Amino acid sequence: MSGHSKWHNIQAKKGKADAAKGRIFTKLGREIAVAAKSNPNPETNSKLADIIAKAKAANMPNDNIQRSIKKASGEMSGADYKELTYEGYGPAGSAVIIVTLTDNINRTAGDVRSILGKHGGSMGNTGCVSYNFDNKGYIVVERTVELDEDTMTEYALEAGADDVVADDDVYEIFTTPEAFSDVRKYLEDKNAELMAAAPKGRRNDEEEPKIRFVQAEIAMIPQNKIELPADALKKFENMLEALEDHDDVQNVYHNVELPDEDEE
């Protein structure tokens, strides 16, 4: 499964910008509120627990998370948000899957179609590209001196993961969708165990986690990636930015090999 790390790195690096981070927090907040609408307790609502983990991996402050949960019984209680997934094509036949959360289906569908069309793409039918993707649990952990590849692999496999891919700066852990919550929880508990076992003189509330999550979600992972010529790549990146900037778009998955930040 090597090759997914560039896809992840672009997402993670973009998320560090303040403007992008604010947009991501807004979208995660809505996702949390919708998940909490039926049950605001993450201990008995596994979907909510998974989304909270995703938010924490994106460094969303706990206060923001709690406010989003409270919205479920307040301003969100009357909203009828639906999760809809669109499939289509970007420049040069690239494949895109767009996950949205909307209270106005016609608006969202029209906007997504328009964005694709303006950047050399087109909307497709359900199933037109998703067969090229696998739905998997996807957990990214920061690679550190303390957390070597053998140790991380051991933890992940003990937790029930299917595969671990070591990159220069992160470990990518892949699971089945069904095992994702258990694997995530195991690694969270393992981190708490390691933190508790730290020498007393070094333990404090501000100490960095031993297992530091960078990303944690159930995602559509491309089976193969494609490289686009420079002109098509530029169009694709502009299309991707326009989709991610749209308020109703929660996630965009694709099969394009994006350049590393220092290559752009």
Side-chain angles (χ1 to χ4, degrees):
M1 293 184 184
S2 61
H4 297 305
S5 56
K6 286 187 178 180
W7 171 80
H8 154 261
N9 287 339
I10 292 295
Q11 302 300 317
K13 289 172 182 175
K14 287 180 69 176
K16 291 178 182 178
D18 289 341
K21 187 175 290 186
R23 184 175 68 246
I24 290 169
F25 289 173
T26 297
K27 294 184 178 186
L28 285 169
R30 182 187 295 179
E31 199 170 346
I32 290 170
V34 170
K37 191 173 179 181
S38 60
N39 177 1
N41 185 356
E43 293 185 6
T44 54
N45 183 341
S46 60
K47 183 175 182 179
L48 176 59
D50 289 344
I51 297 171
I52 290 174
K54 176 181 175 181
K56 287 181 176 179
N59 295 318
M60 186 174 181
N62 192 57
D63 287 347
N64 294 39
I65 293 173
Q66 295 305 316
R67 279 199 300 269
S68 297
I69 292 175
K70 290 177 181 178
K71 284 183 181 179
S73 57
E75 64 188 72
M76 292 290 293
S77 60
D80 185 21
Y81 281 91
K82 291 182 171 60
E83 183 178 280
L84 296 172
T85 300
Y86 301 96
E87 299 182 35
Y89 304 93
S94 51
V96 289
I97 297 175
I98 304 117
V99 181
T100 68
L101 199 59
T102 178
D103 59 351
N104 188 322
I105 296 173
N106 291 333
R107 177 195 66 216
T108 304
D111 288 352
V112 170
R113 183 179 290 105
S114 175
I115 291 171
L116 293 177
K118 286 179 180 178
H119 297 88
S122 62
M123 188 88 88
N125 296 322
T126 300
C128 68
V129 299
S130 56
Y131 67 92
N132 288 314
F133 293 74
D134 293 319
N135 192 33
K136 291 182 176 292
Y138 184 57
I139 299 171
V140 182
V141 172
E142 185 174 329
R143 184 168 184 163
T144 64
V145 175
E146 292 179 320
L147 192 60
D148 61 67
E149 183 175 349
D150 288 343
T151 301
M152 185 70 256
T153 300
E154 179 184 346
Y155 291 162
L157 295 182
E158 283 179 354
D162 289 340
D163 194 15
V164 179
V165 176
D167 193 30
D168 290 341
D169 53 357
V170 296
Y171 298 109
E172 296 179 297
I173 302 164
F174 298 88
T175 79
T176 63
E178 295 77 15
F180 172 75
S181 294
D182 289 341
V183 173
R184 173 188 57 73
K185 184 65 165 56
Y186 181 96
L187 294 177
E188 287 177 350
D189 290 345
K190 176 62 70 173
N191 176 65
E193 176 186 321
L194 294 172
M195 295 281 286
K200 291 183 178 180
R202 296 174 56 192
R203 276 206 311 255
N204 60 74
D205 292 339
E206 302 300 322
E207 186 179 357
E208 292 288 345
K210 303 301 182 184
I211 300 177
R212 193 175 311 157
F213 289 82
V214 176
Q215 193 167 343
E217 63 178 311
I218 296 176
M220 297 297 288
I221 306 296
Q223 296 166 3
N224 296 289
K225 288 199 165 188
I226 63 173
E227 293 187 5
L228 300 182
D231 57 340
L233 179 61
K234 183 61 177 176
K235 288 181 180 178
F236 182 87
E237 290 178 326
N238 289 338
M239 181 192 75
L240 187 61
E241 183 176 359
L243 286 169
E244 291 178 340
D245 281 346
H246 195 285
D247 290 342
D248 296 341
V249 174
Q250 295 294 117
N251 292 292
V252 181
Y253 305 110
H254 60 81
N255 68 340
V256 174
E257 189 73 67
L258 294 174
D260 284 331
E261 194 173 68
D262 55 3
E263 294 176 2
E264 295 179 336

